C-alpha cells in the first residue's frame, strides 16, 4: 500500500553543457543541410527557367536567371563550408571527451598503483624475498 515508485525510479542521465552544445551543433548542421537542399532545388529551377526564356527568345531573362543561379550556387558553397566546420567541431568535441575519459582512467590507475606501492615497502619486499 506504500509508494514504491520512489524506490524503483531510475536516475536519469545528467545533461551536461557539452551535450547541449553538441545537440545545438547537430541541429545547426541539419538546418544548413536543409537550406543547402532548398537552394539546390532553386538553382535547378532557375536553370530550367533560363532554358525556357532562351527558347522563347528572351535572352535577357535567361541571363538574369543564370546570374541568380550563380549567386545561389555561391551560397551553396558557403553553406557546405559552414557545414564542414560544424561537423569538424562536433568531431573535435567527441575526440576531446574520449581523451578526457582516457586521462581519467590513467589517473585512477596511477592512484591505485601508488596505493599498491605504499602497501609493500622495500623492507617488506626484502623480508618476503629472504623468506622465499
Amino acid at each position: 500500500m506504500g509508494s514504491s515508485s520512489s524506490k524503483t525510479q531510475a536516475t536519469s542521465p545528467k545533461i551536461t553543457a557539452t551535450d547541449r552544445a553538441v545537440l545545438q551543433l547537430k541541429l545547426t548542421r541539419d538546418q544548413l543541410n536543409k537550406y543547402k537542399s532548398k537552394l539546390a532545388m532553386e538553382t535547378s529551377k532557375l536553370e530550367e527557367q533560363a532554358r525556357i526564356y532562351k527558347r522563347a527568345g528572351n535572352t535577357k531573362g535567361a541571363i538574369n536567371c543564370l546570374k541568380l543561379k550563380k549567386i545561389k550556387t555561391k551560397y551553396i558553397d558557403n553553406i557546405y563550408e559552414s557545414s564542414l566546420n560544424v561537423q569538424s567541431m562536433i568531431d573535435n568535441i567527441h575526440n576531446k571527451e574520449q581523451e578526457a575519459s582516457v586521462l581519467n582512467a590513467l589517473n585512477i590507475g596511477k592512484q591505485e598503483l601508488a596505493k599498491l606501492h605504499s602497501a609493500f615497502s622495500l623492507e617488506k619486499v626484502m623480508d618476503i624475498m629472504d623468506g622465499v
Side-chain angles (χ1 to χ4, degrees):
M1 304 292 160
S3 175
S4 65
S5 64
S6 63
K7 294 179 184 177
T8 60
Q9 279 184 342
T11 59
S12 62
K14 302 291 182 198
I15 298 173
T16 64
T18 304
D19 294 335
R20 285 188 182 101
V22 169
L23 176 63
Q24 186 62 43
L25 286 169
K26 287 181 178 182
L27 291 173
T28 301
R29 179 197 59 198
D30 293 345
Q31 288 173 346
L32 286 172
N33 287 335
K34 284 180 185 177
Y35 187 56
K36 184 174 68 170
S37 298
K38 179 184 171 194
L39 285 175
M41 285 183 9
E42 288 176 6
T43 56
S44 63
K45 287 179 183 178
L46 285 169
E47 187 175 356
E48 184 60 35
Q49 188 65 36
R51 286 187 184 126
I52 292 170
Y53 280 144
K54 182 66 177 165
R55 284 187 211 124
N58 187 353
T59 309
K60 190 170 184 169
I63 290 173
N64 287 337
C65 285
L66 292 175
K67 285 180 182 179
L68 281 173
K69 179 186 176 238
K70 185 177 180 180
I71 291 169
K72 290 187 186 276
T73 302
K74 286 181 185 178
Y75 288 156
I76 290 172
D77 292 341
N78 290 340
I79 290 170
Y80 180 73
E81 290 295 322
S82 296
S83 180
L84 285 177
N85 288 338
V86 169
Q87 186 61 44
S88 174
M89 203 175 284
I90 291 169
D91 293 340
N92 286 339
I93 290 171
H94 287 302
N95 287 337
K96 292 299 177 185
E97 285 177 334
Q98 290 297 320
E99 286 177 16
S101 175
V102 168
L103 288 175
N104 188 32
L106 287 173
N107 190 30
I108 291 171
K110 177 186 149 202
Q111 291 171 355
E112 291 300 316
L113 189 58
K115 286 179 187 176
L116 290 173
H117 281 301
S118 67
F120 292 102
S121 67
L122 181 58
E123 293 169 355
K124 285 183 183 178
V125 172
M126 295 303 278
D127 287 342
I128 292 172
M129 294 302 288
D130 287 340
V132 173

